[in-house]
């Protein structure tokens, strides 16, 4: 191992970090190798034990090393089939919709009920709450009669806004004023209203890469430009990359799903979410946080949206019941103190208000505790589906396929061998009766040509397993063809 040449201008612990990193990069320390003990390292480097400990802890946080109980620290093996951090690339501005025709074909597949639905992110359909929602709707109809078929107010039914505020209090201890909540037609309209409230045509919007394709369609339809920020498959947006992007471009808004993203299924650690707020304040940018999956972490520990970590008027939070309860109800919401009046103005202009019957039904569903009970049942089913899908991918897809390790929600992100054309795989799958989402639609630039997203948000069945076996086999054939 190389030795420490002390530099009086740098912190000692960061010099130890550099020393270990250099040794890993040169191959002197290889995955699985044990690092010198704290005492040994302190003696050989001529620094104190606490300094070495601090360096090791930071390297562990960076996931370069891992501690094993009663054994010490080891260089972290890069799991053979786990997605790796993307190499930083210089971000460039892109109009979003280079692949509009492909997107349209993906939606055709999603909307075709004959296909095995691996193309749509639809977590709640793994255990539909149709019966209890039906009972709630019947109660509402009996209670309210004509009122339920009338117009709702622009910002939405007070009972539902109160229930959403209560849900934040109950799940994360956040105090939200129902007056700062606007009910929308799904998460998609929530994102639209939030974006309209803070940005205009020509503005630059930073997005994660890969990101939710609906966001790209939205940015494009408003005549805005997207800039991609590298996103780590385990920790979300890479803050150093975000800083670089903010330095290079006049970014007006960041649209990130830091609580639980699509398609990576990753939660940004809370300390990074706090740093993100500081960074955006430094560069005078607004954060629109897409929190539609926040209730669906497998472990049930709800990540706290940035807006509730630190009071900042520059953060707008968007939520939805589409992923957790009823996508067809088209019920979402926006939370913002600063922009609620502008949001109300745009809401009135675009759609007047959202469906009252669905709002009253969901208010009842939350108030009776049925929503909380439903989530408790849904999460472990999603986790089991995720495990089953990962296992089948490992068994049937080409050996070098890498997969995400989602911590919640309903999708798996796969990097296939480079020689596989994922659009070809998508076309072949449709012909074989399976819908999938090709990677290209998750980026405004031409990336992810050999990636696909698969959904496990449906009741698991033989049909699902057969579809995965078929996809794995076809991906193998395409990888051979691509090489030839
Ligand atoms: C990350 C993300 N945000 C927002 C939405 C839109 O949700 P909704 O169906 O409530 O409009 C989706 C739907 O797929 C999504 O995946």
């Amino acid at each position: 191992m190389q030795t420490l040449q002390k530099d009086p201008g740098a912190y000692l612990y960061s010099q130890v970090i550099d020393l270990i990193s250099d040794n890993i990069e040169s191959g002197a320390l290889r995955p699985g190798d044990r690092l010198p003990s704290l005492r040994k390292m302190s003696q050989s480097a001529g620094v104190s034990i606490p300094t070495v400990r601090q360096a090791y802890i930071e390297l562990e946080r960076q996931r370069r090393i891992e501690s094993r109980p009663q054994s010490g620290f080891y260089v972290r093996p890069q799991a053979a089939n786990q997605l790796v951090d993307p190499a930083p690339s210089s971000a460039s501005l892109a109009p979003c919709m280079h692949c509009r025709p492909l997107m349209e074909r993906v939606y055709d597949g999603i909307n075709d009920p004959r296909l095995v639905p691996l193309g749509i992110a639809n977590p709640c359909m793994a255990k539909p709450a149709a019966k209890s929602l039906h009972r709630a709707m019947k109660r509402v109809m009996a209670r309210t009669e004509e009122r339920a078929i009338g117009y709702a107010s622009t910002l939405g039914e007070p009972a539902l806004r109160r229930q959403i505020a209560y849900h934040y209090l109950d799940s994360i201890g956040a105090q939200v004023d129902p007056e700062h909540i606007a009910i929308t037609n799904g998460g998609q309209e929530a994102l639209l209203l939030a974006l309209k409230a803070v940005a205009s045509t020509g503005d630059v919007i930073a997005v994660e890469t890969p990101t939710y394709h609906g966001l790209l369609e939205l940015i494009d339809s408003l005549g805005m430009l997207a800039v991609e920020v590298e996103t780590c498959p385990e920790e979300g947006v890479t803050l150093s990359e975000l800083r670089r992007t903010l330095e290079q471009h006049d970014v007006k808004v960041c649209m990130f799903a830091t609580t639980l993203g699509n398609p990576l299924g990753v939660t940004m650690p809370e300390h990074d979410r706090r740093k993100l707020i500081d960074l955006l304040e430094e560069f005078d940018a607004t954060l629109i946080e897409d929190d539609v999956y926040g209730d669906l972490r497998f472990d049930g520990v709800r990540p706290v949206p940035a807006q509730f970590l630190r009071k900042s008027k520059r953060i707008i939070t968007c939520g939805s019941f589409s992923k957790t309860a009823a996508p067809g109800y088209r019920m979402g919401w926006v939370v913002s103190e600063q922009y609620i009046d502008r949001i109300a103005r745009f809401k009135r202009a675009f759609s007047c208000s959202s469906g009252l019957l669905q709002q009253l039904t969901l208010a009842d569903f939350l108030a009776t505790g049925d929503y909380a009970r439903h989530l408790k049942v849904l999460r472990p089913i999603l986790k089991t589906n995720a495990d089953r899908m990962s296992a089948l991918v490992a068994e049937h897809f080409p050996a070098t396929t890498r997969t995400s390790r989602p911590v919640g929600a309903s999708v798996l992100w796969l990097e296939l061998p480079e020689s596989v054309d994922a659009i070809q795989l998508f076309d072949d799958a449709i012909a074989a009766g399976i819908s999938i989402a090709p990677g290209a639609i998750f980026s405004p630039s031409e990336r992810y040509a050999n990636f696909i997203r698969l959904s496990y948000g449906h009741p698991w069945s033989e049909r699902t397993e057969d579809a995965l076996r078929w996809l794995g086999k076809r991906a193998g054939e395409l990888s051979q063809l691509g090489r030839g």
Side-chain angles (χ1 to χ4, degrees):
M1 184 153 131
Q2 298 156 28
T3 50
L4 188 69
Q5 313 289 334
K6 281 192 194 158
D7 170 1
Y11 287 117
L12 283 173
Y13 88 96
S14 73
Q15 294 183 52
V16 176
I17 291 174
D18 290 346
L19 174 67
I20 305 280
S21 303
D22 289 349
N23 278 281
I24 293 174
E25 264 141 42
S26 71
L29 278 171
R30 285 184 315 216
D33 280 354
R34 186 168 183 273
L35 263 58
S37 67
L38 297 179
R39 182 174 306 283
K40 263 215 175 117
M41 187 69 192
S42 120
Q43 283 164 355
S44 66
V47 296
S48 69
I49 288 179
T51 299
V52 179
R53 183 180 293 114
Q54 194 181 356
Y56 282 14
I57 288 171
E58 176 58 22
L59 282 162
E60 195 181 18
R61 200 192 69 76
Q62 294 173 7
R63 310 183 82 86
R64 308 201 68 172
I65 66 172
E66 62 190 10
S67 66
R68 298 186 192 161
Q70 272 129 40
S71 179
F73 287 87
Y74 290 78
V75 178
R76 203 162 185 256
Q78 186 67 61
N81 288 335
Q82 196 165 350
L83 285 169
V84 290
D85 287 5
S89 66
S90 88
S92 61
L93 293 177
C96 291
M97 297 306 296
H98 71 96
C99 59
R100 184 173 287 121
L102 176 62
M103 189 93 81
E104 276 154 17
R105 286 195 288 134
V106 173
Y107 273 95
D108 286 346
I110 285 172
N111 293 328
D112 186 339
R114 293 167 304 178
L115 305 185
V116 186
L118 307 189
I120 183 167
N122 210 353
C124 63
M125 294 320 251
K127 179 70 181 155
K131 281 203 178 106
S132 49
L133 282 166
H134 185 206
R135 282 194 298 271
M137 192 175 277
K138 271 172 79 177
R139 280 194 296 271
V140 165
M141 290 298 279
R143 214 168 44 228
T144 60
E145 299 180 344
E146 298 92 74
R147 186 169 107 75
I149 61 163
Y151 280 116
S153 61
T154 305
L155 285 176
E157 168 61 26
L160 182 58
R161 295 161 76 198
R162 276 197 306 274
Q163 283 303 324
I164 293 170
Y166 179 72
H167 181 64
Y168 281 125
L169 182 66
D170 190 42
S171 58
I172 52 175
Q175 205 111 41
V176 180
D177 184 343
E179 297 290 316
H180 300 153
I181 298 175
I183 304 297
T184 61
N185 293 324
Q188 192 70 18
E189 195 191 46
L191 294 166
L192 163 69
L193 295 174
L195 197 49
K196 281 292 292 178
V198 293
S200 330
T201 309
D203 279 343
V204 177
I205 313 299
V207 297
E208 293 152 283
T209 188
T211 193
Y212 161 52
H213 48 82
L215 208 53
L216 300 177
E217 285 204 280
L218 185 56
I219 293 169
D220 179 69
S221 70
L222 294 175
M224 299 172 188
L225 292 166
V227 59
E228 296 176 277
V229 184
E230 297 306 327
T231 304
C232 156
E234 292 186 335
E235 302 212 317
V237 170
T238 311
L239 291 175
S240 55
E241 285 299 307
L242 176 59
R243 173 175 284 284
R244 222 152 61 102
T245 305
L246 293 169
E247 282 165 356
Q248 272 174 15
H249 299 283
D250 185 14
V251 171
K252 190 76 180 267
V253 178
C254 292
M255 294 186 91
F256 297 154
T258 60
T259 47
L260 193 49
N262 170 15
L264 288 173
V266 63
T267 296
M268 185 186 231
E270 189 170 308
H271 55 85
D272 281 358
R273 258 174 283 148
R274 289 181 191 279
K275 282 192 202 155
L276 171 67
I277 304 170
D278 293 338
L279 194 55
L280 295 185
E281 261 164 25
E282 186 185 330
F283 285 88
D284 215 15
T286 298
L287 173 65
I288 296 178
E289 46 182 356
D290 183 349
D291 182 39
V292 302
Y293 294 103
D295 277 335
L296 291 179
R297 266 188 70 106
F298 301 141
D299 60 9
V301 180
R302 204 206 192 284
V304 182
Q307 178 168 178
F308 311 126
L309 283 176
R310 174 107 46 84
K311 262 252 169 276
S312 164
K313 293 184 174 164
R314 295 191 142 278
I315 306 176
I316 305 179
T317 308
C318 298
S320 174
F321 290 112
S322 300
K323 305 301 172 183
T324 52
Y329 279 18
R330 308 307 301 133
M331 286 285 116
W333 67 90
V334 194
V335 187
S336 169
E337 179 179 351
Q338 173 94 338
Y339 297 105
I340 195 73
D341 293 338
R342 280 175 71 76
I343 287 167
R345 186 149 59 76
F346 286 120
K347 172 72 186 168
R348 210 163 42 239
F350 295 154
S351 60
C352 293
S353 60
S354 297
L356 181 57
L357 178 56
Q358 294 91 321
Q359 295 189 50
L360 291 168
T361 302
L362 282 168
D364 180 289
F365 188 55
L366 267 76
T368 52
D370 280 352
Y371 180 65
R373 277 189 287 278
H374 161 67
L375 290 177
K376 251 193 191 152
V377 174
L378 179 61
R379 290 187 199 107
I381 292 175
L382 289 169
K383 166 84 173 100
T384 303
N385 286 4
D387 291 345
R388 285 173 169 162
M389 187 171 266
S390 301
L392 280 169
V393 167
E395 195 179 336
H396 296 286
F397 277 63
T400 54
T401 301
R402 296 174 190 274
T403 65
S404 57
R405 300 272 193 274
V407 296
S410 69
V411 293
L412 211 57
W413 179 242
L414 270 65
E415 180 179 359
L416 302 168
E418 241 182 279
S419 52
V420 175
D421 175 353
I423 297 178
Q424 182 66 52
L425 181 59
F426 161 78
D427 284 331
D428 295 350
I430 294 281
I434 306 162
S435 82
I436 62 171
I441 65 170
F442 297 89
S443 161
S445 53
E446 291 175 31
R447 298 173 72 161
Y448 308 122
N450 57 316
F451 287 68
I452 57 171
R453 190 196 69 180
L454 297 178
S455 164
Y456 47 82
H458 39 80
W460 196 262
S461 68
E462 273 294 320
R463 205 168 160 238
T464 316
E465 300 196 352
D466 289 345
L468 288 167
R469 285 188 202 101
W470 187 92
L471 284 168
K473 184 162 168 284
R474 187 66 192 138
E477 289 162 1
L478 288 174
S479 90
Q480 296 302 326
L481 275 177
R483 265 195 230 124

